[in-house]
Amino acid sequence: MKKIIIGSDKSGFELKEAIKAHLTEIGYEVEDCGTQDPEQPQGYFIVAPKLAKKISDGTYEKGILICGTGMGMAIVANKFPGVYASVCQTAAAAKYARAINNANVLTMGGWITAKDAGCAMVDLFLNTGFTDGLEDWRAKNLKNAYATIQDMEKELYK
């Protein structure tokens, strides 16, 4: 079974719940590390590290974080080595976050993203591989860029 981790604060709770249901329906086992009850919310700065640690240590390959705008979650998650969180507001952005940037965490805004649009973004994010659909020269360039970024991380996180 495919596995994924997801989390939200109060502002992303409703969108997270819709996406969790969608993921379960399409065959994913979903771990929810975020707010379980909107009356007892966890802040984005608490949820994002929980998810990011599990991406960074290899427990999960991909994750989804949702706050009001997606920006706070992305800022915090990107502090962890090997985490490439991208704020996306459209399906095209979610696809290109994977194809161009090899993002492994999709962040969205519960104040911004409709449930159907969020589910469509998740589908594209999960079903697009790094460099999918890109010209050979661009794919080669992006793979070299990704390797350079990973080398930078090794230096930064010594």
Side-chain angles (χ1 to χ4, degrees), residues 18-40:
I19 290 170
K20 269 177 41 179
H22 173 69
L23 288 167
T24 301
E25 187 176 294
I26 62 172
Y28 277 83
E29 178 182 316
V30 181
E31 178 181 339
D32 186 343
C33 66
T35 295
Q36 305 298 312
D37 177 352
E39 299 305 314
Q40 298 177 345

Side-chain angles (χ1 to χ4, degrees), residues 8-17 66-68 108-111:
S8 77
D9 62 7
K10 182 176 182 169
S11 300
F13 182 78
E14 287 186 29
L15 180 57
K16 178 197 70 170
E17 291 299 306
I66 308 164
C67 60
M108 293 183 274
W111 297 335

Side-chain angles (χ1 to χ4, degrees), residues 60-129:
Y60 289 92
E61 288 183 24
K62 293 183 184 121
I64 301 165
L65 287 167
I66 308 164
C67 60
T69 62
M71 293 175 205
M73 291 287 197
I75 289 168
V76 175
N78 280 322
K79 303 294 186 222
F80 291 79
V83 175
Y84 307 111
S86 293
V87 180
C88 297
Q89 296 179 344
T90 66
K95 176 182 176 182
Y96 290 123
R98 288 284 307 129
I100 294 172
N101 302 112
N102 204 18
N104 53 12
V105 177
L106 171 63
T107 72
M108 293 183 274
W111 297 335
I112 297 167
T113 307
K115 293 172 187 171
D116 288 347
C119 291
M121 289 166 52
V122 165
D123 288 345
L124 281 168
F125 185 80
L126 295 176
N127 293 308
T128 301

